[in-house]
Amino acid sequence: MTQIQSDTETKILDAAKKIFIQKGLEGARMQEIADEAKINKSLLHYYFRSKERLFSAVFKFAISRFIPKIERVFDSKIAISAKIELIVEQYISLLLKNQFVPIFILHEINRHPDRLVELMTSAGIKPKLIVSQIDEEIKKGNLKPISAQNLILNVISLCVFPFAARPLMQRLFFENNRKAFNDLMASRKKEVSEFIIRAIKA
Amino acid sequence: MTQIQSDTETKILDAAKKIFIQKGLEGARMQEIADEAKINKSLLHYYFRSKERLFSAVFKFAISRFIPKIERVFDSKIAISAKIELIVEQYISLLLKNQFVPIFILHEINRHPDRLVELMTSAGIKPKLIVSQIDEEIKKGNLKPISAQNLILNVISLCVFPFAARPLMQRLFFENNRKAFNDLMASRKKEVSEFIIRAIKA
DNA sequence: GTCTATATTGTGATAGAC
DNA sequence: GTCTATCACAATATAGAC
């Protein structure tokens, strides 16, 4: 049984993900992460040197998992409406399993926007490809004229925002019943695609 | 010239709004707020007793300014499409002037959802009124069948999310040019209304 | 009401035994 | 590699003079 990472390192990373993603960089305590990993506090420094570096590992993990998703779908050759359907379905499914990640990323990119620069260039994201693809479809008359940036923003907004605002929405609509909220999110996979398609089809 | 609040108290509150809204409860430093207000650190405690209480004042201000906006429009008697147009226009205008507030509120309601309970009940928000109003319009055949919760979520998502994700979007689309991003947001007032109307009109 | 000085606690980080 | 003990400093909060 070869092990790529030491068991302890994995335990630390898992614990750090849980705590940092829920509480943010400043809100998290090293002691809390150690407790969650059921190891000693000083081991955190042995493996990751500093809080900053441990956080950085968690942030990279979260970003890598959520940002590139859209690119891959847009590289395929299917029709634009099918692409949107796919993106919405995949994204909401992913979010249902990682409910705290959106607000974590949003908060951290607002606090430390500089962290994004290196990550995005190294990830090789090229939004201009998507933009030109949408413009193409409009020219062909398959889509209502809409700025590509607005359309992309709309798709992401409709998928991500409800999870970022979950505590509020869950209370507004469902007396804080989590299952009811999740059911609504599941129903959104279909509803959001249809909503968007109706809005953009020529 | 009668003064409702002492000049110092106002200065502190203004400084606290600026710092807390940008950095969050844990990210903000009392010293920083004092510097911003150009007063001594201990005066913060003299006027507000603790960091927690000072933060609470800022949070209440932010919530009261952003949450009730929707209610008032829905109380009026105009057609649903006009209502949506009004809400979108007002909300995006408000957000353009308060760009840091969305992520501040979203982060804090995730960190401390309990803070919301008292605030929402005291604000007297009744989402069920809006829900029944939308259901009514669907029954009359003016709207495509859509769950009212999903429609409300869509409207709020399309308005608020871009501001919460501003650092990312500004870099993705505009090489970090703030004015270009703000111009896109201004254009969204019209584009988002039209997008929604096309998606829901029967 | 406003300041300086200080108390008190919390927290990231390190030293050193095993 | 893992632990205990401890350091160093940052940050909230308070005491007390003016």
Side-chain angles (χ1 to χ4, degrees):
Chain A
M1 281 280 215
T2 39
Q3 205 131 25
I4 298 163
Q5 281 182 320
S6 77
D7 197 47
T8 309
E9 194 172 339
T10 314
K11 277 191 334 200
I12 291 176
L13 252 180
D14 286 346
K17 279 176 200 165
K18 182 171 170 188
I19 304 297
F20 275 133
I21 286 173
Q22 278 191 57
K23 310 205 166 179
L25 171 59
E26 287 99 346
R29 296 291 93 111
M30 293 296 265
Q31 184 63 58
E32 211 178 351
I33 295 170
D35 292 348
E36 177 71 31
K38 284 173 190 146
I39 49 109
N40 192 278
K41 201 175 53 154
S42 52
L43 275 186
L44 299 179
H45 290 92
Y46 177 80
Y47 280 95
F48 290 89
R49 270 191 84 85
S50 70
K51 184 184 187 184
E52 185 67 27
R53 278 163 187 265
L54 179 53
F55 175 83
S56 188
V58 173
F59 185 67
K60 273 177 193 160
F61 164 82
I63 284 276
S64 70
R65 188 127 179 229
F66 277 79
I67 302 285
K69 206 91 189 163
I70 299 166
E71 293 291 308
R72 254 178 290 143
V73 176
F74 262 85
D75 280 349
S76 66
K77 298 290 177 202
I78 52 178
I80 193 108
S81 60
K83 277 180 190 174
I84 288 171
E85 227 171 285
L86 248 166
I87 289 172
V88 170
E89 212 280 338
Q90 286 185 9
Y91 231 91
I92 293 181
S93 296
L94 183 63
L95 288 163
L96 272 167
K97 281 178 244 151
N98 301 272
Q99 307 218 359
F100 289 99
V101 174
I103 194 62
F104 167 71
I105 293 181
L106 292 175
H107 176 72
E108 295 302 336
I109 64 179
N110 268 276
R111 287 284 290 127
H112 312 281
D114 44 305
R115 275 191 225 278
L116 262 180
V117 184
E118 27 163 352
L119 278 177
M120 283 195 355
T121 49
S122 70
I125 293 178
K126 299 168 201 82
K128 278 171 189 166
L129 277 180
I130 304 181
V131 170
S132 66
Q133 198 171 134
I134 293 171
D135 289 343
E136 193 76 16
E137 295 280 328
I138 294 171
K139 215 184 290 172
K140 279 195 259 172
N142 296 335
L143 293 186
K144 275 241 160 40
I146 181 174
S147 97
Q149 282 101 343
N150 269 323
L151 176 54
I152 296 171
L153 262 177
N154 290 353
V155 173
I156 302 177
S157 300
L158 290 168
C159 292
V160 178
F161 182 83
F163 291 96
R166 186 180 56 78
L168 180 59
M169 297 305 160
Q170 204 166 280
R171 279 174 180 75
L172 271 177
F173 292 140
F174 305 117
E175 279 102 37
N176 208 16
N177 178 335
R178 190 183 179 125
K179 193 188 171 316
F181 177 83
N182 285 354
D183 288 348
L184 179 65
M185 289 307 109
S187 84
R188 279 179 72 79
K189 290 181 200 171
K190 208 162 158 284
E191 290 230 32
V192 166
S193 316
E194 290 173 357
F195 190 87
I196 297 171
I197 304 297
R198 280 202 300 271
I200 63 173
K201 72 169 175 222
Chain B
M1 282 273 216
T2 37
Q3 206 132 25
I4 298 162
Q5 282 181 318
S6 78
D7 197 46
T8 309
E9 193 171 341
T10 314
K11 276 190 336 198
I12 291 175
L13 252 180
D14 287 345
K17 279 177 200 165
K18 182 170 171 189
I19 303 297
F20 275 133
I21 286 174
Q22 278 191 57
K23 312 206 165 179
L25 171 58
E26 288 99 345
R29 295 291 94 110
M30 295 295 265
Q31 183 62 61
E32 212 178 350
I33 295 170
D35 292 348
E36 177 72 31
K38 282 171 191 149
I39 50 110
N40 192 278
K41 205 175 48 157
S42 52
L43 276 186
L44 300 179
H45 291 92
Y46 177 80
Y47 280 94
F48 290 90
R49 271 190 82 85
S50 70
K51 184 184 186 182
E52 186 67 28
R53 278 164 187 265
L54 179 54
F55 175 82
S56 189
V58 173
F59 185 67
K60 272 178 195 159
F61 164 81
I63 283 279
S64 70
R65 185 123 181 233
F66 277 80
I67 302 286
K69 205 93 192 163
I70 300 167
E71 292 292 308
R72 252 177 293 143
V73 176
F74 262 85
D75 280 349
S76 65
K77 297 290 176 204
I78 52 178
I80 192 109
S81 60
K83 278 182 189 173
I84 288 171
E85 227 171 286
L86 247 167
I87 288 172
V88 170
E89 211 281 337
Q90 286 186 7
Y91 230 90
I92 294 182
S93 296
L94 183 62
L95 288 162
L96 271 167
K97 280 179 246 150
N98 301 272
Q99 307 218 0
F100 289 100
V101 174
I103 194 62
F104 167 72
I105 293 181
L106 292 175
H107 176 73
E108 295 303 337
I109 64 178
N110 268 276
R111 288 283 291 125
H112 311 281
D114 44 304
R115 277 191 223 276
L116 261 180
V117 183
E118 29 163 349
L119 278 177
M120 284 195 357
T121 49
S122 70
I125 292 179
K126 300 169 201 83
K128 277 169 189 167
L129 276 181
I130 304 181
V131 170
S132 65
Q133 199 172 132
I134 293 170
D135 289 343
E136 193 75 17
E137 296 281 328
I138 294 172
K139 214 185 289 173
K140 280 195 260 173
N142 297 335
L143 294 186
K144 275 242 160 36
I146 181 174
S147 97
Q149 282 101 343
N150 269 323
L151 176 54
I152 296 171
L153 262 176
N154 291 353
V155 173
I156 302 177
S157 300
L158 291 168
C159 292
V160 178
F161 181 83
F163 291 96
R166 187 178 56 77
L168 181 60
M169 297 305 161
Q170 205 166 278
R171 279 172 181 77
L172 270 177
F173 293 141
F174 306 116
E175 280 103 36
N176 209 17
N177 179 334
R178 190 183 178 125
K179 190 186 172 316
F181 176 83
N182 284 354
D183 288 348
L184 179 65
M185 289 307 108
S187 84
R188 280 180 70 81
K189 290 182 199 170
K190 206 161 159 283
E191 290 229 32
V192 166
S193 315
E194 290 173 358
F195 189 88
I196 297 170
I197 303 299
R198 282 202 299 271
I200 63 173
K201 71 168 176 226

